[in-house]
Amino acid sequence: MKPRRILFVISHPPHRGALAFEMLDELLVGAVFEQQVSVLFIDEGVFQLVDGGETPGNVARGYRALPTYDVNDVFVDAGSLKQRGLAAESFAIPVRALSRTAVRKLVASHDVVIPD
Amino acid sequence: MNIAIAIHGDAATSESPRLALRFARAAVAKGHGIHRVFFYHAGVNLANSLIVQPQGEPDPAAEWATFATEHGIELTVCVAAALRRGVLGSEDAARYERAATNVSPPFQIVGLGQMVEAAITADRFVTFCA
């Protein structure tokens, strides 16, 4: 069977209990199943990429594992960064910033979209 | 069309189990098939048979159980999310030496792989967030 293009959409902030880690788990299982997995961080979800260092519950460290799982399509909504005064260069992993128009195209280009 | 559903919220803190059930009823009424429902995040609390809803209030867990039994739908619950929230099948209760088990059919504890498998094989995968 042809691998599906699965897009995970992360829109919740980190430090909300297990939510962020459970999404990361699901995403990694998708990658282990050899699907074509991408992830988009949008709205408050962009804070999940800020490396909180040794802070307990720092999910950004977990996202560093993505390349190991061959997940290289990591996107952020540029407007969400701008609104929060964040810069993609400060994130734990390399990301590609997209305009809202490009985000719409990204969503439309996937077979399955899984929000958090 | 074969539809799989993911439910991320529980009855106490979210509308998602009820919204998902309304969606599922409408889909089945239109002739679509629902193969599997996957309870993830707080959604695993629907499988907790110790939860008691006040009289006269909706009981989405009971409604889901009835609906699933009528239509042959699998109600699957993520084991890792369930353990975190004290939702234990008999195998897990034994393995982690807990005094009680609170999951009974038609809810079944499965691995996260079952959810991903549903996302891969179903024609549509619909998520109801918390």
Side-chain angles (χ1 to χ4, degrees), chain A residues 7-48:
Chain A
L7 177 68
F8 288 84
V9 179
I10 308 297
S11 64
H12 286 93
H15 307 293
R16 285 186 30 140
L19 181 67
F21 287 94
E22 287 180 346
M23 286 311 289
L24 176 59
D25 286 346
E26 188 182 353
L27 190 159
L28 295 180
V29 171
V32 168
F33 274 50
E34 296 185 341
Q35 303 303 300
Q36 212 177 321
V37 171
S38 333
V39 55
L40 167 70
F41 294 86
I42 193 166
D43 300 333
E44 298 286 76
V46 295
F47 284 116
Q48 292 200 21

Side-chain angles (χ1 to χ4, degrees), chain A residues 4 22-23 26 35 115-116, chain B residues 40-41 84-85 119 122 129:
Chain A
R4 281 204 169 169
E22 287 180 346
M23 286 311 289
E26 188 182 353
Q35 303 303 300
D116 67 351
Chain B
Y40 197 39
H41 304 300
R84 270 198 183 105
R85 294 168 178 85
C129 294

Side-chain angles (χ1 to χ4, degrees), chain B residues 39 43-50 61 77 87 102-104 107-109:
Chain B
F39 296 91
V44 301
N45 289 325
L46 263 84
N48 181 350
S49 62
L50 296 180
V77 181
V87 177
N102 54 358
V103 176
S104 49
F107 292 96
Q108 46 174 315
I109 303 283

